[in-house]
Amino acid sequence: MTTILAVRRGGQVAVGGDGQVSMDKTISKGDARKVRRIAGGRVIAGFAGGTADAFALLERLEAKLEQYPTQLTRACVELAKDWRTDRALRRLEALLIVANEETTLMLSGLGDVIEPENMEEGDCIAIGSGGNFALAGALALLQNTDLSAEEIVRKGLALAGKIDVYTNDKHTVEVIAS
């Protein structure tokens, strides 16, 4: 698994992930890039789960974003509908976090399109085996510091890496400022 964390605060959204790829109990690679920009750089996407499955979903999401270029939520809902109903897509095992300058969403193969709870200080959402650890750290930092979204993502990922054996300290973080 992995850890992907998204934080929105102060006109900035940051999405970050670690680089560990594991096969059963073995680390296969330590510097994979699980967070990337899509849709001409307007959207940041991070994935957890099967890499090939995630890439297939990212390709489908990019196609939906071409259909609905200014509507991230609509593109994600359309992808979730396909993911849920298409026989081949239904077997894909991955989770996605996507964000643009206005919206952050988590997508699952169960048809979920979840927006993080909007708090006064900002918002955050996480996926993957270390997601809950990173999320707990990010929530505490959102409420008790003035750190930027990017700083909170980096600290949340570092915390997850100290607890979750499937999360390492090689991080990729992408930021969009509005």
Side-chain angles (χ1 to χ4, degrees):
M1 283 298 272
T2 193
T3 302
I4 303 294
L5 173 63
V7 175
R8 183 176 297 277
R9 174 182 245 182
Q12 183 184 73
V13 63
V15 180
D18 75 302
Q20 185 165 306
V21 176
S22 303
M23 294 178 73
D24 195 24
K25 296 176 183 167
T26 304
I27 298 170
S28 302
K29 182 176 175 147
D31 63 350
R33 189 171 170 84
K34 301 173 197 170
V35 174
R36 57 195 61 231
R37 288 180 179 268
I38 61 172
R42 297 183 326 270
V43 175
I44 303 170
F47 63 86
T51 304
D53 292 354
F55 282 132
L57 291 167
L58 288 174
E59 284 179 18
R60 297 278 183 132
L61 179 58
E62 284 204 90
K64 296 295 182 186
L65 287 166
E66 285 178 16
Q67 281 183 280
Y68 312 104
T70 61
Q71 301 174 60
L72 179 61
T73 302
R74 173 130 188 233
C76 289
V77 168
E78 294 298 323
L79 174 63
K81 287 195 300 193
D82 290 351
W83 194 354
R84 183 84 173 128
T85 59
D86 184 276
R87 209 171 219 172
L89 287 178
R90 233 184 323 196
R91 292 187 173 89
L92 299 182
E93 294 185 21
L95 292 169
L96 300 177
I97 287 181
V98 296
N100 65 10
E101 61 183 40
E102 301 162 354
T103 306
T104 304
L105 300 166
M106 186 272 291
L107 289 84
S108 82
L110 299 174
D112 299 316
V113 178
I114 298 172
E115 192 170 21
E117 184 176 348
N118 193 5
M119 301 179 300
E120 190 174 310
E121 303 85 6
D123 61 53
C124 53
I125 196 164
I127 56 174
S129 59
N132 287 336
F133 305 121
L135 183 62
L139 286 168
L141 291 168
L142 270 173
Q143 294 173 0
N144 296 299
T145 70
D146 291 326
L147 295 174
S148 70
E150 180 179 4
E151 292 169 315
I152 291 172
V153 165
R154 290 187 186 282
K155 289 184 181 295
L157 291 172
L159 175 68
K162 291 182 184 299
I163 300 169
D164 179 45
V165 296
Y166 296 105
T167 300
N168 72 9
D169 62 354
K170 303 235 179 13
H171 304 151
T172 301
V173 179
E174 293 284 346
V175 178
I176 295 176
S178 53

